[in-house]
Amino acid sequence: RGGAPLYETLNAALPAGLFPEGLEYAIKSKIRKRLRDVGYRVVFPESQPWEGIVEGFSIAGLERIYRGFGENPWFWVVAWPSVFGAAASDFWPEVGTAIERRVVAYNAATAHFEAILIRTALNVSGESVALPACALRALRAIGQETLPAMPTA
């Protein structure tokens, strides 16, 4: 299948212990539903390369999840590229291989997560660019200094 399915990857991507079990289950269910909603609307026209369509899925899906959950501190500590890579590997077996879809979706989600982070940081009032306050709270809550979804140098 090209790796862990979406359900397992989402379980691993959301840091454990941030929520009571019932709330964690509800949030994961909402995320899976939003990914399915976006994924089921994807059409692969023969005249366009499938890679661009999968990239569009990652961008649209991440934007939709950000609009719904971006103000919550936990949003910033989820490994979104892995989640979108797993979703793409599970969806659309008719195009490419599971690994190819995973890589394309992962790369697009990585770039778009970075764009969301930059956009959010630049909208902070003040002279310096900073992480959003909710992202800083989330990092402190899990005892980290960097965002797990962002590549480090």
Side-chain angles (χ1 to χ4, degrees):
R1 285 184 67 113
L6 174 59
Y7 191 85
E8 293 173 14
T9 301
L10 186 56
N11 283 339
L14 192 68
L18 288 181
F19 310 103
E21 188 172 324
L23 180 59
E24 182 174 337
Y25 178 80
I27 288 171
K28 289 176 183 177
S29 294
K30 286 181 182 182
I31 291 169
R32 283 191 303 273
K33 182 181 183 318
R34 289 183 185 183
L35 289 173
R36 281 192 311 268
D37 289 349
V38 174
Y40 288 153
R41 293 185 177 128
V42 171
V43 176
F44 293 93
E46 290 185 29
S47 62
Q48 296 180 8
W50 65 265
E51 293 91 341
I53 307 299
V54 172
E55 288 174 353
F57 158 75
S58 288
I59 293 167
L62 188 54
E63 197 63 40
R64 183 168 180 193
I65 291 171
Y66 171 71
R67 280 194 314 268
F69 298 111
E71 292 300 317
N72 294 297
W74 62 262
F75 171 85
W76 298 98
V77 296
V78 174
W80 292 114
S82 296
V83 171
F84 279 90
S89 73
D90 283 353
F91 300 167
W92 322 298
E94 68 276 10
V95 296
T97 66
I99 299 226
E100 290 171 327
R101 292 189 308 272
R102 178 183 287 266
V103 168
V104 169
Y106 180 95
N107 291 338
T110 299
H112 194 65
F113 184 79
E114 186 175 328
I116 289 172
L117 182 60
I118 291 168
R119 181 179 71 208
T120 305
L122 291 175
N123 286 333
V124 173
S125 60
E127 294 183 20
S128 64
V129 175
L131 286 173
C134 56
L136 293 173
R137 286 192 306 272
L139 290 172
R140 282 193 298 270
I142 64 171
Q144 290 185 320
E145 296 178 13
T146 61
L147 294 170
M150 295 295 293
T152 56

